[in-house]
Amino acid sequence: MTLTSRHLLLAGPACAAFVEDSKAQLDLTNFYFNRDFRDPGAAQSKADEWAQGFALKIESGYTEGPVGVGLDVLGLLGVKLDSSPDRTGTGILKSDREAPFRAQDEYGELGLTGKLRVSRTTVHGGTLQPLLPVLMRNYSRLLPQTFRGAWLNSREWDGLTLDAGWLGAVNQRNSSDYEDMTVFNGGARNIELGQAASDRFLFGGGSYQWTPALTTSYYAAELQDLYREHNLRLLHVLPLGEQQSLKTDLRYLRSTDAGNSNIDAHTFAAILSYRLRHHTFSASYQQLDGDTGYAYIAGSDNFLPHLSQVQDFGNEDERSWQLRYDYDFAGLGLPGLSFMTRYTKGSNIQLQNDNGNEWERNTDIAYVAQDGPFKGLGIKLRNATVRSDFGSDIDENRLILSYSLQLR
């Protein structure tokens, strides 16, 4: 037996789990987006586009042994179905470099992620889609936003989750190019930046589940030279009887300058949610204080509880409240059908010579087939109405058809 063949025999059992534990899934998304800016005299009065998205996700298992090795693959493709230069800018298609007011016919990305596992600790390096309090990748359009970097996650102790890592570049949800990370500065955030972008985002922190009902978390992050964030959360669920509970969610976010900006914001938020069988009633309050609004990486989602379909109510000194109602139609014998509506009102926004106000109303209706030949087929209709005395008024509708095909 040669050395090569002996190694192959030894590697066979060690690599078996790499293949046997692998998963593959193809997500299909058909997305129609229509946003009316309520201004017929504007240079562009609406954004209206239609596209088809494909997301192939392949996740390997880990090789056997004290250090397991694996590899994940992410293939993304967006295809234009309908668009024109006078109604681009929906975020579901990529703009043409040579003609920025025209959408490209297609765009995509191939991402690779290497991974290691030791005990209950994993390290991922390459293409990442973080969902952490200090950074949440955005998947509110056709394709997800992705990052490049390294991420360590440890669950060595029951109830305790630890995270640490760094990111060096971002690929936005309507792009196929990686670039440096910038700070979102829309609305009335009044953020001043001494440099446009940064190529290093550091993060670390964790959460601990003290009891089945109580969880706390702390995370810290820095977008080098631009801002730092400290993020605290307390989450408690109080059972009140059969199919009843009261959830309390308290959050405090502190954003500060990291050397080359004026960022300074305190954010406090409280959310109370009462669940009664298939009904959920929620009320929340969010308050910002300081010299600027809340800072986060442009294009990503954030941890503000009033992040809605269009606005996040994170402007300088803004006070906002929200009322929300959710219903699961399984209570009426229609599993897979759900409904959500909410109203958010913001005030006391610091403008140049006055205080601003805004509000947003959202309604979502969604259905996912639970069985039969169309099992897994989903349809969602999202509607938003935004009114502001310092920004654009918006009426928006999104129609999303989705289907996940399990390949392995």
Side-chain angles (χ1 to χ4, degrees):
M1 181 179 291
T2 66
L3 181 62
T4 302
S5 60
R6 182 181 297 113
H7 284 180
L8 289 173
L9 287 176
L10 292 174
C15 296
F18 181 92
V19 176
E20 292 175 359
D21 295 339
S22 66
K23 298 180 290 184
Q25 175 177 308
L26 177 63
D27 293 334
L28 308 175
T29 304
N30 189 276
F31 205 123
Y32 171 71
F33 186 109
N34 177 282
R35 176 179 287 183
D36 185 345
F37 295 106
R38 306 279 300 178
D39 185 1
Q44 182 175 347
S45 61
K46 67 176 181 178
D48 186 288
E49 293 180 308
W50 182 29
Q52 175 66 46
F54 303 86
L56 175 64
K57 307 171 187 176
I58 302 174
E59 299 179 6
S60 78
Y62 290 90
T63 58
E64 298 291 343
V67 179
V69 178
L71 178 68
D72 295 342
V73 179
L74 176 67
L76 302 174
L77 176 64
V79 179
K80 179 176 70 176
L81 299 179
D82 181 59
S83 178
S84 70
D86 62 336
R87 47 188 173 88
T88 57
T90 64
I92 67 173
L93 289 170
K94 180 180 180 179
S95 296
D96 193 293
R97 287 177 177 172
E98 298 179 358
F101 294 105
R102 185 178 299 277
Q104 288 190 180
D105 291 338
E106 59 186 38
Y107 67 104
E109 174 190 359
L110 177 63
L112 301 177
T113 308
K115 54 187 182 181
L116 301 174
R117 182 180 67 186
V118 180
S119 184
R120 296 168 65 183
T121 297
T122 60
V123 178
H124 289 73
T127 301
L128 302 175
Q129 296 185 60
L131 286 173
L132 297 168
V134 288
L135 180 61
M136 307 178 72
R137 66 99 172 96
N138 191 320
Y139 201 171
S140 63
R141 296 295 194 272
L142 187 70
L143 300 177
Q145 177 192 44
T146 59
F147 294 83
R148 279 181 180 164
W151 179 3
L152 180 147
N153 175 265
S154 179
R155 302 174 185 266
E156 297 293 337
W157 299 273
D158 291 342
L160 178 64
T161 299
L162 297 174
D163 295 286
W166 66 270
L167 303 171
V170 60
N171 183 16
Q172 301 293 1
R173 60 197 180 186
N174 60 339
S175 173
S176 56
D177 304 309
Y178 278 88
E179 57 191 2
D180 290 347
M181 293 162 283
T182 60
V183 178
F184 178 73
N185 197 16
R189 275 172 160 74
N190 302 320
I191 294 174
E192 298 175 3
L193 302 171
Q195 65 184 61
S198 175
D199 62 359
R200 185 168 293 272
F201 181 82
L202 305 172
F203 64 88
S207 65
Y208 185 71
Q209 187 174 21
W210 301 89
T211 70
L214 177 64
T215 302
T216 58
S217 68
Y218 167 74
Y219 281 83
E222 177 180 324
L223 183 59
Q224 192 173 59
D225 298 327
L226 291 175
Y227 76 86
R228 297 186 182 96
E229 178 179 332
H230 297 274
N231 188 304
L232 294 127
R233 185 189 193 190
L234 182 149
L235 182 64
H236 182 262
V237 180
L238 176 65
L240 297 176
E242 186 178 358
Q243 299 185 56
Q244 293 187 67
S245 65
L246 179 66
K247 181 168 71 174
T248 303
D249 188 346
L250 304 178
R251 306 180 190 182
Y252 174 71
L253 295 74
R254 176 72 172 117
S255 302
T256 62
D257 164 36
N260 212 354
S261 74
N262 70 331
I263 293 170
D264 173 45
H266 299 265
T267 306
F268 170 78
I271 310 102
L272 292 176
S273 301
Y274 171 63
R275 184 180 67 85
L276 175 61
R277 296 182 177 85
H278 301 281
H279 305 267
T280 303
F281 306 88
S282 303
S284 57
Y285 178 74
Q286 176 178 299
Q287 176 174 318
L288 281 87
D289 294 289
D291 296 331
T292 69
Y294 177 68
Y296 65 99
I297 292 178
S300 68
D301 278 341
N302 61 52
F303 204 53
L304 297 180
H306 289 175
L307 175 66
S308 302
Q309 184 168 318
V310 180
Q311 311 285 62
D312 67 4
F313 299 85
N315 298 294
E316 182 182 348
D317 287 346
E318 185 165 12
R319 281 85 169 106
S320 58
W321 56 267
Q322 181 184 104
L323 295 176
R324 172 171 172 159
Y325 171 69
D326 294 78
Y327 183 69
D328 182 349
F329 280 85
L332 295 178
L334 296 171
L337 181 63
S338 61
F339 170 82
M340 184 281 293
T341 188
R342 64 190 169 199
Y343 177 84
T344 313
K345 171 69 175 180
S347 60
N348 196 56
I349 302 164
Q350 292 302 301
L351 307 178
Q352 188 172 4
N353 298 310
D354 199 0
N355 289 340
N357 300 277
E358 62 180 347
W359 61 263
E360 180 171 345
R361 182 177 61 242
N362 306 125
T363 301
D364 287 5
I365 301 175
Y367 177 72
V368 178
Q370 303 296 294
D371 50 34
F374 299 107
K375 181 179 179 180
L377 179 65
I379 180 170
K380 177 182 285 189
L381 177 62
R382 309 195 69 192
N383 173 266
T385 301
V386 177
R387 296 294 182 266
S388 168
D389 57 16
F390 64 94
S392 298
D393 290 343
I394 291 172
D395 289 342
E396 183 179 287
N397 288 289
R398 307 178 188 181
L399 177 62
I400 307 163
L401 300 177
S402 60
Y403 183 71
S404 294
L405 179 63
Q406 298 296 327
L407 303 177
R408 179 179 173 82

